[in-house]
Amino acid sequence: MAESTVADLERSIGEIAARWRGERAERQARRQLDRQDFDLLRDAGLLKLAAPRDAGGLWDRAESSARIACELYRRLASADPSVALVSSMHPAVVAFWLASPDPSQPDWEEQRQAVFASAAAGEQWGTITSEPGSGGDISRTRATASPTDAEPFLHGRAYAVTGEKHFGSGFGITDRMMTTAIAQGESDPTIFVLDVRDRPWDGSAGLKLTAEWDGIGMAATQSHAMRLDGAPAVKLAWNRELDPITRAAGPLIASLFTAVILGVLDEAVVTAREQIAKKADQLRAYEQVEWARAELDHWVAVQVYEGALRAIEGGDPATASYASLRAKEAVAELAETALRRISRVLGGGTFSLRSPFARWSEDVRALGFLRPPWGLAYDTLFATSIDPPAGP
Ligand SMILES: Cc1cc2nc3c(=O)[nH]c(=O)nc-3n(C[C@H](O)[C@H](O)[C@H](O)COP(=O)(O)OP(=O)(O)OC[C@H]3O[C@@H](n4cnc5c(N)ncnc54)[C@H](O)[C@@H]3O)c2cc1C
């Protein structure tokens, strides 16, 4: 990465996070995203981070850039978890095009460049892949896609996608959203890009809002449910099986989500420590133990996150997949447990929505449900536990 530009980005995100932290009470009460927050992040250069340098972005290789990206989203999440989660979906989606170059597929390479140009130009990417009843497993998609004669908005073939989708974090803010469907004449699902910018949600142009996001945590993420009915889309130009693409992108995606929740936990622990320090000599034995264990949970969470980043830096794909999924699942458990312990030490006031801990306790629960959600993640944890990669 170009040192000065990344340094500028890091400085800007640090300043933004510091400002947002000062607005915590108001931000935690939000149920909607604010366009200005995303303009600020775009102007700071955050969207460019996911595009390779030769496409006008700031990305080198996962081995050197993943840590920088994760640390930025971790810092943002300590200030505003919902904005950080939505924002982290951008590199998590662009990752599908980043991770798998293949010069033998000219259409794929051209589409990759078009996706990178979009990210470098400040277009916000997100995803509405999840389908009710699929458990986050894209092989269970019931959505369908038919080719159309429309002018494609991105290099590739134009399609129209139809199906029920939910959890579209960032709807209303995003310009492009990834989804999955089975293309006409094919038996396996693949990825499609939806053009969602300024598209109405009343069913008149392919998108119908079926349920507004009412999450008890990550409350402002606008993770709405939508019915896609002939929604304009472009098919992934990769012409082989999907698995290598999803596997290659997996470690970065898992680590980005882990970073977001770790950022929330960082802030909860710092805030709790300030309060506990004032009454440390009055704590009962039980409270001392619970706080010590919460602090230990946080320390372990930081170590496993570091382990995942180091595995990505090591460059071995199997080790990176092994470590990043374990880090995601471990941090999901640790963060929930740590918040519960902190609440017990700080008292019943943490049950009130006036306490930041009430919101944080729910925000951290998102990690276990984020892709791959609990059941699907544990299928892989079990399978890879029998024959782990060498030296994970
Ligand atoms: C805060 C938050 C933000 C998110 N943001 C996004 C986003 O931006 N984009 C996105 O695409 N997703 C997003 N997700 C969704 C996430 O990635 C998972 O896909 C989603 O949580 C899966 O939902 P579920 O476990 O309730 O599964 P569901 O699909 O509702 O399934 C419920 C249960 O049924 C089981 N099941 C699945 N299939 C079957 C079957 N055929 N028969 C019987 N049982 C079955 C599952 O294992 C699961 O236990 C988000 C989730 C959260 C919490």
Side-chain angles (χ1 to χ4, degrees), residues 89 127-136 140 167 169 366 369-371:
M89 296 288 171
T127 171
I128 181 154
T129 304
S130 300
E131 287 179 32
S134 72
R140 287 177 168 167
F167 290 110
S169 296
F369 295 108
L370 288 164
R371 197 165 302 278

Side-chain angles (χ1 to χ4, degrees), residues 123-148:
E123 290 183 337
Q124 179 96 37
W125 287 63
T127 171
I128 181 154
T129 304
S130 300
E131 287 179 32
S134 72
D137 185 348
I138 59 174
S139 70
R140 287 177 168 167
T141 184
R142 287 194 291 261
T144 56
S146 333
T148 70

Side-chain angles (χ1 to χ4, degrees), residues 82 85-86 89 93 126-138 140 142 165-171 177-180 213 215 217-219 221-224 257 261 328 362-363 365-376 379:
S82 284
L85 181 60
V86 167
M89 296 288 171
V93 170
T127 171
I128 181 154
T129 304
S130 300
E131 287 179 32
S134 72
D137 185 348
I138 59 174
R140 287 177 168 167
R142 287 194 291 261
K165 298 279 178 178
H166 61 173
F167 290 110
S169 296
F171 241 111
M177 284 179 108
M178 188 194 112
T179 194
T180 43
W213 177 244
M218 293 295 180
T221 52
Q222 295 183 190
S223 303
H224 304 320
F257 295 158
I261 299 308
K328 173 183 174 292
E362 298 300 338
D363 290 337
R365 293 203 313 116
L367 184 56
F369 295 108
L370 288 164
R371 197 165 302 278
W374 290 107
L376 194 56
D379 284 356

